[in-house]
Amino acid sequence: INNAFSEYVGSNIFKIVGFETQNTILGRYKYNGREKIVCACEDFTDNEHVLYEFENLALSTNPDKKIETELKDIIEVIEESKMINTVETKEKFWDMFIIDSLIGNTDRHNGNWGFLLNKNTGKAEFSPIYDCGSCLNPMLEDEEIEKMNETELKNLAINCYSCLKENGKKIHYMTYIKQKENEECNHAIKRLFANIDIDEINKFIDNIECMSNIRKEFYKKMIEQRYEVLKKVYESIK
């Protein structure tokens, strides 16, 4: 329902943190006599580069195995593929995971992240971040948000799941990060945390003209709750 806002805010938070990201613009669009808020997303491919999504990389690496969102399988593809830089890709994958946890992205599946493939050289580099439309609870209307108390808001922020799975179960972002058992995930927090400028994120949200104050406050509270978890983990491992 509100995924135009989710796409715009999610993409720009990635950009604030320092990622290469698709450019997005919020606008008003009239359709069948009704006005809608929409998000235009710039195409970052060109005549030389095409988007090569991870699901295609997985298929080319092992055509006989269907790779879904089991974490072990994804890491295995990254380590086995000859097309990409394994070390760099792992780092960017975990960096993406951390910011997805901050914005509550529940749908980072294998078809909405990938690589820019140079058609002339065959070289593949991690693509700009795109498709953040499932972050920040897009199905919640302002009227529903307004009825939520502080405890309900906190629970909603913390109890957020990635579509990545470990042993067949979806990963609970905050629990996974707090356990600190994955060193690559820990390193991503060390790399990124200083770049997460919560004041700049809040200022960005406040300056969105076509968004209600109810939704602005909701987004800021969701992000603040998750930021505090990342902060505690960072301070314990830095």
Side-chain angles (χ1 to χ4, degrees), residues 104-118:
N105 189 351
T106 58
D107 198 31
R108 183 70 69 192
H109 55 75
N110 296 341
N112 62 16
W113 68 279
F115 307 86
L116 276 181
L117 177 65
N118 187 308

Side-chain angles (χ1 to χ4, degrees), residues 57 60-61 76-84 86:
L57 181 74
S60 68
T61 303
E76 192 174 277
V77 170
I78 293 172
E79 290 176 342
E80 290 181 359
S81 175
K82 306 298 183 189
M83 289 179 60
I84 58 175
T86 297

Side-chain angles (χ1 to χ4, degrees), residues 82-229:
K82 306 298 183 189
M83 289 179 60
I84 58 175
N85 181 316
T86 297
V87 174
E88 181 184 85
T89 301
K90 273 191 189 178
E91 286 188 357
K92 292 193 172 183
F93 172 82
W94 284 109
D95 289 352
M96 180 173 66
F97 177 87
I98 295 301
I99 304 307
D100 274 338
S101 79
L102 181 70
I103 63 176
N105 189 351
T106 58
D107 198 31
R108 183 70 69 192
H109 55 75
N110 296 341
N112 62 16
W113 68 279
F115 307 86
L116 276 181
L117 177 65
N118 187 308
K119 293 187 286 186
N120 299 322
T121 66
K123 185 179 179 182
E125 297 183 338
F126 208 89
S127 80
I129 300 294
Y130 62 98
D131 199 349
C132 299
S134 294
C135 74
L136 292 166
N137 306 89
M139 299 304 290
L140 281 179
E141 290 279 30
D142 286 6
E143 292 77 13
E144 296 173 274
I145 293 169
E146 205 169 16
K147 293 174 184 175
M148 298 175 75
N149 60 40
E150 290 299 315
T151 301
E152 289 170 328
L153 286 168
K154 182 176 180 179
N155 288 338
L156 187 63
I158 298 303
N159 292 318
C160 182
Y161 289 81
S162 168
C163 76
L164 292 173
K165 296 178 180 178
E166 197 167 56
N167 301 318
K169 294 181 178 180
K170 286 187 177 182
I171 290 174
H172 184 284
Y173 277 123
M174 296 299 113
T175 299
Y176 190 86
I177 288 167
K178 285 194 289 187
Q179 286 172 340
K180 298 179 283 188
E181 292 176 358
N182 186 313
E183 280 303 313
E184 289 175 324
C185 183
N186 294 343
H187 287 312
I189 295 173
K190 290 179 185 178
R191 279 192 301 272
L192 284 179
F193 185 77
N195 295 337
I196 303 174
D197 188 333
I198 198 71
D199 292 331
E200 187 177 349
I201 290 171
N202 288 341
K203 183 180 177 182
F204 166 77
I205 293 171
D206 282 333
N207 287 335
I208 300 173
E209 293 181 2
C210 56
M211 186 188 294
S212 70
N213 288 333
I214 292 168
R215 187 162 297 275
K216 288 177 184 179
E217 291 305 310
F218 173 68
Y219 285 175
K220 290 189 291 184
K221 285 176 181 177
M222 292 290 102
I223 292 164
E224 177 72 29
Q225 291 289 344
R226 296 168 186 145
Y227 175 80
E228 288 301 320
V229 173

Side-chain angles (χ1 to χ4, degrees), residues 14-30:
F14 267 103
K15 188 170 288 187
I16 287 168
V17 176
F19 284 76
E20 284 190 56
T21 310
Q22 65 174 2
N23 291 317
T24 54
I25 304 171
L26 273 184
R28 300 180 187 275
Y29 182 73
K30 288 186 178 178

